[in-house]
Amino acid sequence: MYTGLKGKHLIYEQDWEKEEIEALLDMALDLKKMRALKQSHKYLDTRTLFLLFFEESTRTRNAFETGITQLGGHANYLIPKLTQIDHGEGPKDTVEVLSRYGEGIGIRNTTWGVGNRYMRELAKYSRIPVINLQCDLFHPTQSLADLLTLKEKLGDLRGKKFVMSWTYAPKYVRPISMPQSLITLMPRFGLDVTLAHPPEFFLMPEIVEQARENARKAGSRFEIVHDMDEAFQDADVIYAKSWGALAYTQDEPTILQLIEKYPGWKVTEQGMQLTKEDSRYMHCMPIDRGIEVENAVADGSHSVIYDEAENRLHIAKAIMALTME
Ligand code: CP
């Protein structure tokens, strides 16, 4: 197992070798056991992690804040308004300075066309690991926790059918980062991925191509369908959430109108009957209950949403323990 990950950035799962991800999952399970046994695991005593959030968060922020505390370190929660970023200080100056104070920096910035580029720019100048806490393109700390959850629940993942489905959800446009992370990561670990969405809600062609290529190399499958029932047939895993329409990234009203064409894209008990008897329902949360999914499914026997959310903590700790000096 390769464990030489000190100083490595985590911006896109694809930047990590499969062996490195396996090491991360192993570490997460070790840390999970230690926490259950109340064994001290202060591997980051006196270290500081900066958490720079351009948007709101419940799970990600708290997984990293409580995680670094359990590892013996400390988190500094930052928002642009309380830093000189709000006055225009750029990524180079921000990270050159923070690199001299602390040992890691996590960032959430999901602004389309900005978030990933900002993180890559920070990483270029950073002497401490940069961790993507969700950008416009990817959400690796969530997808890796999801992979851990799937390994715990299903054991051998090879040949299992993983459905990444779009759902209806009104009011605001959700990022495409979650489906893009999941469709590229899961085929590498043997899952057969079915991506399901209405035609207008396609993902970035180069990311879809990467997912296909990952599947080809791993001997798994990747397909796209435009019908929810077709996708759900004999599925082992249903991961269903809303996302925006790429063709209109600068035009939110048009996307919201498009979303209104597809209120039937909802996870229902009836739909879950098409899946395998012991299939799992997953969602990264927050969920639009009653809209994206019936409460009976979110709270029912297929659902693993809270185990999935818990694993955010264990993966966050593993990322920090392995990458921070
Ligand atoms: N899944 C997820 O990233 O949740 P938060 O937005 O609450 O961090």
Side-chain angles (χ1 to χ4, degrees):
M1 186 187 3
Y2 182 70
T3 54
L5 292 164
K6 292 290 180 194
K8 191 171 175 78
H9 304 306
L10 175 59
I11 296 180
Y12 177 20
E13 302 85 334
Q14 197 74 27
D15 300 334
W16 282 43
E17 299 293 334
K18 193 170 175 222
E19 199 181 345
E20 294 173 328
I21 294 175
E22 298 278 12
L24 182 75
L25 299 179
D26 272 4
M27 174 62 92
L29 282 178
D30 285 349
L31 291 166
K32 189 170 182 174
K33 280 178 211 150
M34 280 188 258
R35 178 163 160 73
L37 294 170
K38 302 202 186 313
Q39 286 175 349
S40 176
H41 47 282
K42 297 193 170 178
Y43 300 132
L44 294 177
D45 191 28
T46 74
R47 312 303 202 286
T48 296
L49 175 75
F50 299 104
L51 291 172
L52 175 57
F53 277 84
F54 288 74
E55 294 99 18
E56 309 78 4
S57 167
T58 297
R59 279 143 290 273
T60 311
R61 174 183 173 182
N62 289 296
F64 276 88
E65 278 204 23
T66 54
I68 188 91
T69 302
Q70 290 166 22
L71 291 168
H74 166 76
N76 265 17
Y77 177 67
L78 305 169
I79 57 171
K81 212 176 173 51
L82 298 179
T83 71
Q84 298 298 358
I85 294 168
D86 212 40
H87 286 149
E89 188 160 70
K92 177 176 188 294
D93 289 345
T94 301
V95 82
E96 280 280 4
V97 174
L98 294 181
S99 288
R100 293 182 185 217
Y101 299 158
E103 286 76 26
I105 178 165
I107 302 126
R108 170 170 288 189
N109 185 339
T110 64
T111 303
W112 178 253
V114 173
N116 189 267
R117 202 177 301 163
Y118 182 82
M119 286 174 202
R120 294 270 178 211
E121 193 68 6
L122 275 180
K124 201 160 90 186
Y125 298 107
S126 182
R127 281 171 287 110
I128 56 178
V130 172
I131 305 166
N132 177 355
L133 303 180
Q134 192 177 16
C135 68
D136 46 338
L137 310 184
F138 310 112
H139 194 357
T141 67
Q142 175 73 53
S143 66
L144 291 164
D146 294 336
L147 180 59
L148 178 65
T149 306
L150 286 172
K151 283 195 167 239
E152 288 179 325
K153 300 291 179 193
L154 304 181
D156 184 9
L157 301 182
R158 183 148 294 281
K160 300 279 181 3
K161 181 176 177 182
F162 178 94
V163 175
M164 178 73 247
S165 178
W166 186 87
T167 61
Y168 169 80
K171 294 188 188 149
Y172 70 98
V173 177
R174 284 85 177 155
I176 59 170
S177 50
M178 201 64 257
Q180 296 214 136
S181 272
L182 291 166
I183 65 160
T184 46
L185 180 65
M186 296 310 173
R188 295 172 71 191
F189 289 84
L191 286 148
D192 292 335
V193 172
T194 297
L195 173 64
H197 57 75
E200 297 93 331
F201 292 88
F202 55 87
L203 299 176
M204 290 168 68
E206 59 270 40
I207 298 301
V208 170
E209 196 41 48
Q210 184 72 70
R212 268 191 225 290
E213 179 61 10
N214 287 350
R216 189 192 63 75
K217 280 189 184 156
S220 52
R221 293 185 193 167
F222 177 79
E223 63 169 357
I224 299 177
V225 301
H226 300 301
D227 182 278
M228 222 178 179
D229 284 352
E230 183 186 343
F232 276 37
Q233 203 69 50
D234 295 323
D236 293 283
V237 182
I238 299 297
Y239 202 121
K241 75 174 302 298
S242 184
W243 65 80
L246 262 183
Y248 304 97
T249 49
Q250 306 303 324
D251 183 2
E252 186 158 334
T254 299
I255 301 178
L256 292 174
Q257 268 178 13
L258 278 177
I259 290 171
E260 289 304 324
K261 283 173 67 179
Y262 301 105
W265 281 69
K266 174 178 182 173
V267 182
T268 61
E269 283 192 290
Q270 199 180 349
M272 289 303 291
Q273 280 175 16
L274 298 170
T275 68
K276 296 232 177 89
E277 196 179 347
D278 58 352
S279 67
R280 313 296 165 141
Y281 163 77
M282 298 180 79
H283 193 296
C284 55
M285 304 177 82
I287 305 180
D288 270 298
R289 279 177 169 267
I291 296 171
E292 288 185 286
V293 57
E294 287 177 352
N295 282 329
V297 176
D299 297 322
S301 59
H302 296 280
S303 179
V304 296
I305 57 173
Y306 299 127
D307 292 338
E308 193 184 349
E310 180 191 327
N311 278 337
R312 297 297 308 279
L313 170 69
H314 309 301
I315 278 288
K317 288 167 70 177
I319 293 165
M320 292 186 282
L322 284 171
T323 64
M324 288 168 63
E325 295 278 2

